[in-house]
Amino acid sequence: MSSRTTGIRRRVLVTATAAALALSLPLAGLTSASTGSGGLKPNVVSVKPTYTRALKAANSVRFTCQDVRVGHPLCYNPQQIRTAYQVTPLLNAGINGKHRTIVIVDAFSNPYAWGDIQAFDKTFGIPDPIFNQIAPQGVPAFDINDADQLGWTVESDLDIQWSHAIAPKANIVLIDAKSDQDIDIYNATKWAVDHNIGDVISQSFGEAESCVDPKIDKLQHAMFAKAVAKGITLFASAGDDGSAQLNCAGSTYIKSASSPANDPLVTSVGGTNLVANTTTGAYGSEVAWHDAYSGCGPDATYGCGGGGYSNIYARPAYQQGVANASATKRSIPDVSYNAGVDGGVLVHLGAINIADFGLDPTDPSIFFIVGGTSAGSPQWAGLAALADQLAGHRLGNINPTLYQIGKTAGLHAAAYHDITVGSNRFGFLDASNNPVTIPGFSAKIRWDAATGWGTPKANVLVPLLAALSH
């Protein structure tokens, strides 16, 4: 299939059989019984978008959370984020993702996805994208009383709306895995890669790397290699529990890098707290992500942004000679982006309107403030779509270029906001209600295991990616 998705602006929910018939694509899926003796041990892949209600000021296009005088949490709209990260000059020059396709992989189904994009666009004056929603393996009927499914609708809305906000002319394809088991996520992503659905893939989910069955991990890495060989650029959020991840039973936290962000073929996106002008969006400052709304620990010295050193993957060549990176292991994150709930992004959530408040899911005035590293992965995917457009071709694995820029005198400061304050050490209460701290990593000059190289100065970084990536 062509790397572009064509058609009118629409929402299309396609089941497995319908997708195969309409696109002439074969159906294939891996199950726990299809890999030989012993099968697989699937594990739940988690999302953790944190959200709170955003109230709109009376007789105004602004939300009360955009007024610093009102108090916290604060929030940002697309125009403000574009200004803070210097995306606006690119959009003004016509670099807007046109003729590029961003693939968002999530789980279950979000029946409100298309309506939520339309409400988002209407509110912020953005043209609707060409949008398709595909469920290659089929999905269960949406259950608004299922907290797990509801959480994934928040994730998918965040992902599609904010990748679109950064690359407003790019086509958006939402791929729904039939569940949040890692084998089903793998199957859905593999389907998108096998059928060349898009130029960029964003994955805003993760699990402790030790919880991934080694067979699945091997298959996943091979699938990522196939994607990169096709020129597809891969992103994944680094996690929202600092240096920790839930253990495989979901009963406590362990120090761990997150999968799939740990894969060297994937660009891992960590988190920051962005301080920008709540009217103009002018950039102020950033620190490693921590805020009271995200439950990272008992006080502000604890951090939320995922990062650390893999015990599965060896150091890739592009990390050689990087201060603070491991000499032997894959180190993450590669880059970062705003992830705070205090200073989060505005998202229209139709399912939450009904489930939490009994409100009209189509009401365009009802928004939520959403945070997490899952906000960064799709926005970086949007930046990659801009770079693809500027280059005139797909970029594939951009990590070697990101590190080349970071290691080059004069380019790092021009292309990145370097985050040097904060850490991602994580705290929680154990089963006996005792406080536990998992040591993390401090933000430092240039690369570090809390924020990577930092956040983008897009008007410099995107042209560099276009010019230097092969």
Side-chain angles (χ1 to χ4, degrees):
M1 183 179 176
S2 166
S3 63
R4 301 175 185 174
T5 302
T6 59
I8 60 171
R9 295 185 176 96
R10 64 198 187 279
R11 171 191 179 270
V12 183
L13 179 60
V14 187
T15 63
T17 303
L21 293 174
L23 303 176
S24 299
L25 301 176
L27 293 176
L30 182 68
T31 68
S32 60
S34 65
T35 58
S37 60
L40 298 173
K41 297 179 181 178
N43 190 64
V44 172
V45 178
S46 65
V47 294
K48 194 185 175 185
T50 304
Y51 59 92
T52 188
R53 177 81 180 275
L55 300 177
K56 201 165 191 177
N59 302 316
S60 173
V61 297
R62 286 175 60 80
F63 291 80
T64 55
C65 55
Q66 292 175 279
D67 189 343
V68 71
R69 297 169 300 179
V70 173
H72 298 271
L74 299 174
C75 65
Y76 300 117
N77 66 23
Q79 289 75 18
Q80 292 164 334
I81 291 293
R82 291 169 177 175
T83 298
Y85 288 134
Q86 300 174 27
V87 180
T88 302
L90 296 168
L91 301 182
N92 290 343
I95 307 304
N96 50 28
K98 188 175 182 180
H99 301 314
R100 295 290 137 188
T101 298
I102 299 170
V103 175
I104 303 295
V105 179
D106 279 308
F108 302 109
S109 65
N110 179 357
Y112 301 97
W114 176 231
D116 287 338
I117 290 178
Q118 290 177 301
F120 182 84
D121 287 347
K122 180 179 179 180
T123 299
F124 299 119
I126 304 173
D128 290 338
I130 295 173
F131 174 70
N132 284 276
Q133 185 172 359
I134 302 172
Q137 313 296 328
V139 291
F142 177 66
D143 181 359
I144 203 166
N145 297 310
D146 183 332
D148 190 20
Q149 291 193 38
L150 200 61
W152 281 91
T153 68
V154 176
E155 185 59 67
S156 60
D157 274 333
L158 170 64
D159 293 349
I160 59 181
Q161 288 170 41
W162 278 87
S163 59
H164 172 52
I166 299 302
K169 290 291 186 179
N171 306 325
I172 307 294
V173 180
L174 174 60
I175 302 291
D176 292 323
K178 69 178 182 179
S179 84
D180 55 4
Q181 293 288 329
D182 49 16
I183 190 60
D184 292 331
I185 296 282
Y186 162 80
N187 280 327
T189 311
K190 183 177 184 296
W191 187 90
V193 171
D194 287 347
H195 301 109
N196 208 19
I197 299 299
D199 307 292
V200 186
I201 296 177
S202 177
Q203 306 162 101
S204 288
F205 45 78
E207 60 186 311
E209 63 176 8
S210 61
C211 296
V212 183
D213 187 296
K215 297 174 186 176
I216 295 178
D217 192 73
K218 183 177 180 180
L219 290 166
Q220 179 174 262
H221 182 67
M223 180 258 292
F224 289 158
K226 184 176 181 180
V228 168
K230 292 183 176 185
I232 299 171
T233 304
L234 304 164
F235 292 92
S237 53
D240 296 349
D241 296 311
S243 57
Q245 293 284 324
L246 280 171
N247 69 353
C248 306
S251 58
T252 189
Y253 289 92
I254 57 175
K255 191 170 186 177
S256 174
S258 176
S259 174
N262 64 338
D263 194 291
L265 299 177
V266 174
T267 299
S268 171
V269 182
T272 66
N273 285 105
L274 169 68
V275 177
N277 186 291
T278 54
T279 298
T280 67
Y283 183 90
S285 63
E286 281 177 282
V287 299
W289 174 30
H290 66 274
D291 61 48
Y293 299 90
S294 304
C296 308
D299 58 55
T301 66
Y302 290 82
C304 302
Y309 306 110
S310 173
N311 289 316
I312 304 295
Y313 288 100
R315 182 195 69 189
Y318 56 77
Q319 291 190 317
Q320 183 175 354
V322 175
N324 305 316
S326 170
T328 58
K329 300 175 180 179
R330 162 72 163 134
S331 305
I332 63 170
D334 300 303
V335 290
S336 281
Y337 211 88
N338 178 43
V341 179
D342 189 4
V345 292
L346 289 161
V347 179
H348 193 271
L349 305 173
I352 300 299
N353 292 354
I354 296 176
D356 285 4
F357 300 97
L359 301 172
D360 180 358
T362 65
D363 188 335
S365 70
I366 300 172
F367 275 72
F368 294 80
I369 310 167
V370 184
T373 58
S374 50
S377 180
Q379 290 183 75
W380 268 97
L383 294 176
L386 303 186
D388 283 351
Q389 180 193 356
L390 188 57
H393 58 78
R394 292 175 171 181
L395 302 184
N397 182 10
I398 63 171
N399 284 350
T401 306
L402 292 172
Y403 281 78
Q404 178 186 352
I405 294 167
K407 291 188 280 187
T408 302
L411 290 186
H412 177 264
Y416 298 110
H417 299 285
D418 193 6
I419 316 304
T420 61
V421 177
S423 80
N424 64 357
R425 75 174 187 140
F426 183 74
F428 67 101
L429 298 177
D430 67 13
S432 300
N433 214 35
N434 297 314
V436 179
T437 294
I438 296 181
F441 308 95
S442 296
K444 298 180 179 180
I445 295 173
R446 300 177 81 111
W447 189 91
D448 57 72
T451 63
W453 288 111
T455 59
K457 298 178 181 178
N459 64 325
V460 175
L461 181 61
V462 166
L464 284 173
L465 286 174
L468 299 176
S469 297
H470 302 291

